[in-house]
Amino acid sequence: MALMAFAFVTSITPGPNNLMLMASGANFGFRRTLPHMLGIGVGFVVMVVLVGLGLVQVFQAYPVSYTVLMVLSVVYLLFLAWKIATSAPPDQVEQVGTPFTFLQAALFQWVNPKAWAMALTAVSVYSPSREFGAIVLVAVIFGLINMPSVSTWTLLGQQMQRVLTNPQRLRRFNVAMALLLLASLYPVVFANGVTAA
């Protein structure tokens, strides 16, 4: 029950994945965002398994590798925030805009600071023995809880389409989503003593 509560709270709260899904839902709708949602779910499950099978030991043996990962993640998320803030207006979205693909979303987990924090904490706290069965259980529970959570954010974004009926509103929404994406980095990055400088 404690693991399920942890998985729910960390999956449903704002973070890079959820804010990007909300922006995608608003810009592209639920159906076109499905590959993005599935990529997050599968990508994170794979990440938890690999962290449990040994990646956590790399960070313990070489702490600087975690700092390097965080800095690269912040740089990439700055780029994504800029892309969201400068997204095309509604009449151009169909021609030039594209949502994340399944593979892009799955790979994004590896540069998502919140995903790293979730995976490292889940494995360390709920599978300290690093037994394969325990690691898989942690990953499966996250996978089952993650999909309804990310779907909620996509649906919320899709509902925003009713309000985002002109280019100015969509632009303001996209800028707000970009700023929230940047703000979501603060607790994860600075809690680990990493700065973007």
Side-chain angles (χ1 to χ4, degrees), residues 29-102:
F30 190 88
R31 188 182 59 79
R32 290 186 66 196
T33 305
L34 268 172
H36 188 167
M37 291 186 290
L38 293 171
I40 289 170
V42 172
F44 187 71
V45 165
V46 169
M47 175 186 245
V48 169
V49 170
L50 293 178
V51 165
L53 292 178
L55 279 180
V56 71
Q57 292 159 345
V58 172
F59 293 132
Q60 291 168 346
Y62 306 101
V64 72
S65 63
Y66 189 71
T67 302
V68 169
L69 175 68
M70 285 295 115
V71 170
L72 292 175
S73 298
V74 168
V75 169
Y76 184 65
L77 286 171
L78 288 171
F79 169 74
L80 285 178
W82 177 78
K83 293 289 282 180
I84 291 170
T86 59
S87 292
D91 58 338
Q92 296 176 16
V93 167
E94 289 299 321
Q95 291 93 13
V96 299
T98 57
F100 258 29
T101 65
F102 174 87

Side-chain angles (χ1 to χ4, degrees), residues 135-147:
I135 294 166
V136 170
L137 178 64
V138 170
V140 167
I141 287 175
F142 261 99
L144 293 174
I145 290 175
N146 189 268
M147 280 311 295

Side-chain angles (χ1 to χ4, degrees), residues 144-188:
L144 293 174
I145 290 175
N146 189 268
M147 280 311 295
S149 299
V150 299
S151 297
T152 302
W153 284 87
T154 306
L155 286 170
L156 181 60
Q158 183 181 22
Q159 293 306 308
M160 292 294 294
Q161 287 178 336
R162 297 177 184 178
V163 178
L164 307 175
T165 55
N166 66 52
Q168 292 79 22
R169 287 182 186 165
L170 182 64
R171 174 59 53 118
R172 285 193 292 267
F173 173 79
N174 286 337
V175 168
M177 289 296 97
L179 292 173
L180 286 172
L181 178 60
L182 294 176
S184 75
L185 294 175
Y186 183 84
V188 174

